[in-house]
Amino acid sequence: MNAVAVHGVGTSHFGRQPGRDLIALAEDAVREAFADAAVTGVDAVWVGTVFGPAGVAQRVLRALGVTGIPVITVENACASGTTAFLEAHEAVRTGRYGRVLALGLEQMSTAFAGAITPEPTDPEGRSGLALPALYAMAAARYLHLGAVTPEQLAAVSVKNHAHALHNPRAQYSGRYTVDEVLASRMIADPLTVLQCCPTSDGAAAAVLAPAERGSRGVGVRGIALRTGAPWNHRSPHVWGHDVVRDTAADAYAAAGLAAAGDVDLAEVHDAFTIGEIVTTEALGLVPPGDGGKAAAAGVTALGGAHPVNPSGGLLSRGHPLGATGLAQVAEVVWQLRGEAGGRQVEGARLGLVETMGGGVSVLDGNACVVAVLEAP
Amino acid sequence: MNAVAVHGVGTSHFGRQPGRDLIALAEDAVREAFADAAVTGVDAVWVGTVFGPAGVAQRVLRALGVTGIPVITVENACASGTTAFLEAHEAVRTGRYGRVLALGLEQMSTAFAGAITPEPTDPEGRSGLALPALYAMAAARYLHLGAVTPEQLAAVSVKNHAHALHNPRAQYSGRYTVDEVLASRMIADPLTVLQCCPTSDGAAAAVLAPAERGSRGVGVRGIALRTGAPWNHRSPHVWGHDVVRDTAADAYAAAGLAAAGDVDLAEVHDAFTIGEIVTTEALGLVPPGDGGKAAAAGVTALGGAHPVNPSGGLLSRGHPLGATGLAQVAEVVWQLRGEAGGRQVEGARLGLVETMGGGVSVLDGNACVVAVLEAP
């Protein structure tokens, strides 16, 4: 089995870009990744997308002159991009292909209007559990337990939007105050609009191949996927906590980490502020129940002990579903190569990527991917 | 690396079933495959679908009590089902998972009205090349070259509809004459409606695990995927011939066959009559240019030297895109276990599955999977 490294990454700009073709966005990402890896082609491609039309990947690749090689499109809800990354990793690890492209893409501005709605035939659909409402329930539970305050929720938004001031590819950024975040328009109580990821279009890509000594390739030290856990009514934890914790445990074991959360930075799935708080706890980056306090105290900010979402996260970069996981990978690769500019985590050696989502059927389609990457 | 076998298969009924939920159709297939394999669960699932809504696979599996395991949905146009089969095979071969379900599903009656239309932004879309028109061009070319006659084209339809008389799961069957086929409604000259696969809903599934001596598992002796070849203007062959030929060469090499096409039966992608003719030539089942003659002479009929589509093929069974490849696998498994009833190919030891399709963008999205299966 091969040790696997990421030899190049690229992304489009992120934002509402209905006037740009999805293929053009994906071209931007693949061209940059190919140039970064100093390659002009690959042996196979895995593509992650949720709403991308059938054949979209092949059209992107033809535009780049990449034809005649296996292309497999995967869908795994918000984790589609990292699922493509995981499958590409597996193909290189086992020697099935030598050099593989993982590509994520989504054009939410044309695919969907408003919040993603669950299937009306599912129990959660009948209950009106669109995704903002689902996360709002988790936030309400945390508030009820005294595990977070409204101000701590808002602190995640303040932090990530400030991080994004240093990320020219992000959709939004800004120096907000906690009061401004709390005063912004209510979407699903207690989550205001500045606590929700925006509708976004974009693409991201990574080139994977066997690790080479002396190269600038970023090693994939451990990676894991879990899927399919339904709502667990018997768990004391809110939606998503258990699957993130269990997937992380698999990834940490694969990476041989000394302790859970023993990484220098993490890009996590902050589709909503409560999501980052629950996830930092589930990943073991902070003690159980300390997610909100850590955000408010700057522990998870750039310069803090456990920087989370230095890119600005989904809250700032935007959340083009299939692209998100690979945009997270790109950020961690830049960080581990010391190329993250004003948002650089100094001396970062180990970085974590976590993506967790439900499908349109939020309760059945839980999928989580966690990866630990290592500096060259 | 493990030798891999198919330990159980199952399918739904095939046909226009808009009143049945896609999940119920898939349940039929998975329940039968689990019972056939004498298992109650698997370690991971690959699902093939083109138009299935996001999360559909997870909903199917929850209905069966299969939760908490990795589920990866793949899309590869008409080859989505066999791509799921190939990925499941790879996961068992490399030891990534012990027992894997490959599931294909599609509900064409609700997803689409009429022929699949290409993207209007693509060259083929601007040229009006819906899939029946594309196959009609290939047929017209063969007619022009004298490589086929209208009666030979019709003979494929006569043969496959007659085969389907013995397949209770098929959408259509019948004892047609060549004249009746030629007199049926014209869809895309020279292809009449009885020469085109019907709009169909259905699902099919297979359980894969390492081969065990003494079991009734059907071995996967060789399997290959090619994707992405665009229209080749420099090839003397019609659309699809080259990619089928090249993919088959890979599969034959993997299977260690003595000669191309050295199998006892084949289930091939006869979305249109010309498709079967071109494919039997590309696979080496008959000499180049003999596909039409072979069909008319009974060479590719049950009882002939090279039986093709004993199930009745897509022309009779119907073509629910994601389900098709796994329905072909199920048929070959039944044949190789001697369980195909009135359509049994006596003494069959080696069987071939071939699926080839374009995406909605027909020219960019060519994908082909060829597998050679072996009797227990």
Side-chain angles (χ1 to χ4, degrees):
Chain A
M1 296 294 170
N2 296 312
V4 183
V6 183
H7 292 270
V9 292
T11 80
S12 70
H13 186 70
F14 295 95
R16 276 184 181 272
Q17 305 171 78
R20 283 206 80 197
D21 194 83
L22 180 56
I23 291 168
L25 291 170
E27 254 193 81
D28 291 351
V30 178
R31 280 189 199 284
E32 184 181 6
F34 277 13
D36 192 33
V39 301
T40 55
V42 291
D43 304 315
V45 184
W46 268 262
V47 181
T49 183
V50 179
F51 299 112
V56 64
Q58 282 83 347
R59 287 201 290 282
V60 172
L61 295 163
R62 181 170 69 160
L64 290 157
V66 178
T67 59
I69 57 169
V71 177
I72 297 178
T73 300
V74 298
E75 185 272 315
N76 215 347
C78 296
S80 294
T82 27
T83 296
F85 183 73
L86 176 117
E87 292 298 285
H89 170 269
E90 180 69 9
V92 174
R93 187 182 77 87
T94 59
R96 180 177 176 190
Y97 298 113
R99 189 192 295 147
V100 180
L101 175 71
L103 168 64
L105 51 89
E106 213 79 57
Q107 195 156 26
M108 298 299 287
S109 70
T110 58
F112 237 91
I116 296 176
T117 49
E119 285 288 308
T121 53
D122 288 335
E124 60 271 31
R126 288 197 295 275
S127 310
L129 282 178
L131 280 156
L134 185 71
Y135 277 98
M137 275 178 61
R141 177 77 185 158
Y142 259 46
L143 288 168
H144 170 76
L145 293 171
V148 78
T149 66
E151 292 74 18
Q152 290 167 350
L153 283 170
V156 172
S157 173
V158 171
K159 167 179 75 76
N160 288 357
H161 284 100
H163 287 175
L165 288 166
H166 305 286
N167 181 359
R169 301 177 193 224
Q171 182 167 4
Y172 293 115
S173 59
R175 294 191 199 283
Y176 293 102
T177 64
V178 163
D179 286 346
E180 284 168 341
V181 171
L182 292 176
S184 67
R185 184 161 57 93
M186 185 60 72
I187 298 296
D189 192 6
L191 301 173
T192 56
V193 70
L194 284 169
Q195 302 189 55
C196 306
C197 61
T199 298
S200 188
D201 308 324
V207 175
L208 294 88
E212 296 166 22
R213 283 185 189 282
S215 87
R216 61 202 274 276
V218 166
V220 182
R221 192 155 143 177
I223 186 166
L225 160 74
R226 290 206 176 208
T227 326
W231 189 287
N232 187 348
H233 297 272
R234 285 179 293 273
S235 170
H237 298 296
V238 297
W239 179 68
H241 182 283
D242 293 349
V243 69
V244 172
R245 178 197 60 205
D246 295 345
T247 313
D250 291 349
Y252 294 156
L257 290 199
D262 192 8
V263 295
D264 299 308
L265 76 139
E267 284 282 314
V268 311
H269 197 78
D270 62 328
F272 300 87
T273 49
I274 184 66
E276 178 172 313
I277 288 171
V278 172
T279 301
T280 53
E281 297 176 8
L283 290 170
L285 299 174
V286 300
D290 272 14
K293 293 182 200 75
V299 172
T300 52
L302 275 168
H306 297 290
V308 172
N309 287 327
S311 70
L314 284 58
L315 287 172
S316 307
R317 186 176 52 236
H319 184 22
L321 307 189
T324 285
L326 283 155
Q328 295 174 309
V329 167
E331 175 69 15
V332 171
V333 165
W334 291 323
Q335 290 281 353
L336 296 177
R337 294 197 314 217
E339 300 170 356
R343 60 185 194 281
Q344 180 66 46
V345 176
E346 289 307 322
R349 298 288 309 160
L350 287 177
L352 179 145
V353 169
E354 178 272 343
T355 334
M356 191 280 289
V360 175
S361 168
V362 289
L363 303 194
D364 300 336
N366 266 19
C368 185
V369 175
V370 174
V372 177
L373 307 186
E374 184 165 25
Chain B
M1 297 293 169
N2 296 312
V4 182
V6 183
H7 293 270
V9 292
T11 80
S12 70
H13 186 70
F14 296 95
R16 276 183 180 270
Q17 305 172 77
R20 282 207 79 197
D21 194 82
L22 180 55
I23 291 168
L25 292 170
E27 254 193 81
D28 290 351
V30 178
R31 280 190 199 282
E32 184 180 5
F34 277 13
D36 193 32
V39 301
T40 54
V42 291
D43 303 315
V45 184
W46 267 263
V47 182
T49 183
V50 179
F51 298 112
V56 65
Q58 282 82 349
R59 286 201 291 282
V60 172
L61 295 164
R62 181 171 70 160
L64 290 155
V66 178
T67 59
I69 58 168
V71 177
I72 297 179
T73 301
V74 298
E75 184 272 316
N76 215 348
C78 297
S80 294
T82 26
T83 296
F85 182 72
L86 176 118
E87 292 299 284
H89 170 269
E90 180 70 9
V92 174
R93 187 183 75 88
T94 60
R96 181 178 176 189
Y97 298 113
R99 189 192 295 147
V100 179
L101 176 71
L103 168 64
L105 50 90
E106 213 80 58
Q107 195 155 27
M108 298 300 288
S109 70
T110 57
F112 238 90
I116 296 176
T117 49
E119 285 287 307
T121 53
D122 288 335
E124 59 272 31
R126 288 197 295 275
S127 310
L129 282 178
L131 280 156
L134 185 72
Y135 276 98
M137 276 178 61
R141 178 77 185 160
Y142 259 47
L143 288 168
H144 170 75
L145 293 172
V148 77
T149 67
E151 291 73 20
Q152 289 167 352
L153 282 170
V156 172
S157 172
V158 171
K159 167 180 76 73
N160 289 355
H161 283 100
H163 286 175
L165 288 165
H166 305 286
N167 182 359
R169 301 178 194 224
Q171 181 167 7
Y172 293 115
S173 60
R175 295 191 198 284
Y176 293 102
T177 65
V178 164
D179 286 346
E180 284 168 341
V181 171
L182 291 176
S184 68
R185 184 162 57 93
M186 184 60 72
I187 298 296
D189 191 6
L191 301 174
T192 56
V193 70
L194 284 169
Q195 302 189 56
C196 306
C197 62
T199 299
S200 188
D201 309 323
V207 175
L208 294 88
E212 295 165 23
R213 282 185 190 280
S215 88
R216 59 202 275 275
V218 166
V220 182
R221 190 153 145 179
I223 185 166
L225 161 73
R226 290 205 176 209
T227 327
W231 190 285
N232 186 350
H233 298 272
R234 287 180 293 273
S235 170
H237 298 297
V238 297
W239 178 70
H241 181 284
D242 292 349
V243 70
V244 172
R245 178 198 61 205
D246 295 344
T247 312
D250 292 348
Y252 295 156
L257 291 199
D262 192 9
V263 295
D264 301 307
L265 76 138
E267 284 283 312
V268 310
H269 197 78
D270 62 330
F272 301 86
T273 49
I274 183 67
E276 178 173 312
I277 288 171
V278 171
T279 301
T280 52
E281 297 176 8
L283 290 170
L285 300 173
V286 301
D290 273 14
K293 293 182 201 76
V299 172
T300 52
L302 275 168
H306 297 290
V308 172
N309 287 326
S311 70
L314 284 58
L315 287 172
S316 308
R317 184 176 52 236
H319 184 21
L321 308 189
T324 286
L326 283 155
Q328 295 174 308
V329 167
E331 174 69 15
V332 171
V333 165
W334 290 323
Q335 290 280 352
L336 296 176
R337 294 195 314 216
E339 301 170 355
R343 61 186 194 281
Q344 180 67 44
V345 176
E346 289 307 323
R349 297 288 309 159
L350 287 177
L352 179 144
V353 169
E354 179 272 342
T355 335
M356 192 278 289
V360 175
S361 168
V362 289
L363 303 192
D364 300 336
N366 267 21
C368 185
V369 174
V370 175
V372 177
L373 307 186
E374 185 165 24

